[in-house]
Amino acid sequence: MKRTRNIHIFDLYWEDILVSKIMPYLSLEECFTFRCVSRTCLEIVNMYLAKLKSLKMMNKVFTPTTFEVLVLNCTKLRLLNFSVCDTITDTEIMSILSRNPGLITLNLNYCHTLTAKCLQPAILYCNNLRVLKLARCAWLTTGAMEALALHQSKLEEVDISYCVNISEGCVLIFIKKFRQLKTFNLEGNLQITDKCLYTISKYSNCLRLINVSSCDITDKGVMALALHCQSLEGLVVRRCMKVTETSLRLMRNRGVRFVRTTALSHMQPEPQLCSTQRLQRSVSNMCTHTEIASGKYSRGMQ
């Protein structure tokens, strides 16, 4: 009498069922644990990583071996998020960027251990890059900004808040090159003046949201935005003491929503932050940097 073979999970179609339908429910940590079970599990996880479009490693600590596995297998990434990774190195970032030329979104917010060198593969090879987030990256240099303007062409959302080592001149070059910018965060850059806002008002016709909190701007710059940026929907001007109700009234009359914190008693209460859920989320993300800078940041942030 023939002995009946027990059916187990590996009898399912790997690519059509295990990789496509089951593996996405596992966290990255669980995937690596499953990978250690057997050679079959290793092959399944490697197959899953090879198809991965998004890799989010926010606030994670990982071993060199783990990162090597990711570099070898993840070659079709569209989104890469290493924000708040204090242990990541230039070599590691460069190795994974060089193997993912189709990258669209790169987030390196609060990665203090890197240098401008890590951006080289993204600048040269990631020609579809549309979202670049480098908040609190003091290592970002004027040269790196100029290289981005020289080699990239499709950026639409950029966060360079508190990047204090870049000059206003390179930001002007950046604005002139990327005329399709929709979201621009310049918060905390004291070198940014009305000259930058004049340039934005001339070249950034698609701009929907801008954060110039703690920048050295005045009513003249804000008026230029109000008069010429017809697509503008949101403005964040926290701690801009030279900006008064004179210019903000123009914004309000146009229906632009803005955030402003002020000690002046004659200022009117803040209006509702935004008219759409997407814009509200964008403003919220921009304002998060203020909370982090003031010590409200939690290591559990996603």
Side-chain angles (χ1 to χ4, degrees):
M1 184 176 179
K2 285 188 178 182
R3 189 173 182 180
T4 305
R5 176 181 174 275
N6 291 329
I7 298 176
H8 51 71
I9 189 172
F10 299 125
D11 290 329
L12 298 173
Y13 288 108
W14 289 10
E15 188 169 354
D16 295 336
I17 299 178
L18 294 181
V19 173
S20 301
K21 305 298 183 182
I22 297 178
M23 295 300 295
Y25 287 97
L26 301 182
S27 67
L28 201 58
E29 292 84 353
E30 291 169 337
C31 286
F32 274 88
T33 301
F34 182 59
R35 189 176 183 272
C36 297
V37 173
S38 67
R39 183 175 296 276
T40 301
C41 294
L42 182 145
E43 293 177 5
I44 292 173
V45 172
N46 286 352
M47 187 183 296
Y48 169 67
L49 293 176
K51 292 181 173 292
L52 208 58
K53 301 294 184 184
S54 174
L55 182 60
K56 299 180 180 180
M57 302 286 287
M58 302 88 74
N59 200 19
K60 300 288 186 183
V61 177
F62 39 81
T63 66
T65 303
T66 299
F67 201 86
E68 184 179 353
V69 171
L70 295 175
V71 171
L72 290 175
N73 292 282
C74 297
T75 59
K76 297 181 179 179
L77 295 177
R78 297 294 180 266
L79 184 151
L80 186 59
N81 189 340
F82 280 104
S83 58
V84 204
C85 286
D86 296 330
T87 59
I88 195 77
T89 65
D90 284 349
T91 302
E92 291 171 333
I93 286 292
M94 292 175 71
S95 62
I96 197 166
L97 287 177
S98 61
R99 291 177 61 85
N100 289 277
L103 200 66
I104 294 175
T105 300
L106 176 61
N107 188 338
L108 298 177
N109 287 348
Y110 301 91
C111 290
H112 304 299
T113 58
L114 300 176
T115 69
K117 179 183 177 181
C118 75
L119 294 177
Q120 183 177 353
I123 292 173
L124 296 177
Y125 308 122
C126 299
N127 297 323
N128 292 317
L129 197 63
R130 286 179 169 80
V131 179
L132 181 62
K133 298 185 179 183
L134 301 171
R136 292 278 178 176
C137 292
W139 44 263
L140 184 65
T141 63
T142 294
M145 288 287 289
E146 291 175 346
L148 279 165
L150 179 62
H151 294 280
Q152 293 293 315
S153 61
K154 299 179 180 179
L155 286 175
E156 298 179 355
E157 180 178 343
V158 176
D159 185 348
I160 50 174
S161 55
Y162 294 96
C163 293
V164 296
N165 290 318
I166 60 175
S167 66
E168 184 179 39
C170 76
V171 176
L172 298 181
I173 295 173
F174 195 86
I175 294 168
K176 292 176 183 178
K177 174 62 180 291
F178 300 106
R179 302 189 182 189
Q180 69 276 32
L181 276 178
K182 296 178 181 178
T183 303
F184 201 18
N185 193 345
L186 293 166
E187 180 179 1
N189 291 306
L190 297 176
Q191 68 274 33
I192 299 301
T193 65
D194 285 340
K195 189 175 182 179
C196 186
L197 298 190
Y198 295 152
T199 305
I200 290 174
S201 67
K202 183 176 181 180
Y203 293 97
S204 302
N205 296 324
C206 299
L207 191 67
R208 296 182 62 238
L209 177 64
I210 183 170
N211 186 346
V212 286
S213 299
S214 298
C215 295
D216 189 20
I217 61 172
T218 69
D219 280 337
K220 292 181 179 179
V222 176
M223 285 181 179
L225 293 180
L227 293 174
H228 301 289
C229 292
Q230 299 302 316
S231 299
L232 192 64
E233 298 177 15
L235 171 69
V236 188
V237 286
R238 287 178 168 172
R239 299 175 303 280
C240 295
M241 295 302 141
K242 297 178 183 178
V243 176
T244 69
E245 180 65 14
T246 302
S247 61
L248 296 181
R249 186 181 299 111
L250 290 177
M251 288 287 186
R252 187 181 293 110
N253 291 341
R254 269 197 45 209
V256 175
R257 308 296 180 174
F258 60 87
V259 178
R260 176 188 175 139
T261 306
T262 178
L264 299 178
S265 58
H266 69 273
M267 287 293 293
Q268 296 181 8
E270 294 180 6
Q272 184 180 353
L273 187 57
C274 61
S275 58
T276 65
Q277 185 177 3
R278 181 178 178 185
L279 186 62
Q280 186 176 23
R281 183 166 60 250
S282 299
V283 173
S284 177
N285 290 338
M286 282 190 170
C287 295
T288 299
H289 302 320
T290 304
E291 298 177 357
I292 295 176
S294 62
K296 298 179 182 178
Y297 174 68
S298 168
R299 292 291 292 182
M301 173 185 174
Q302 294 183 351

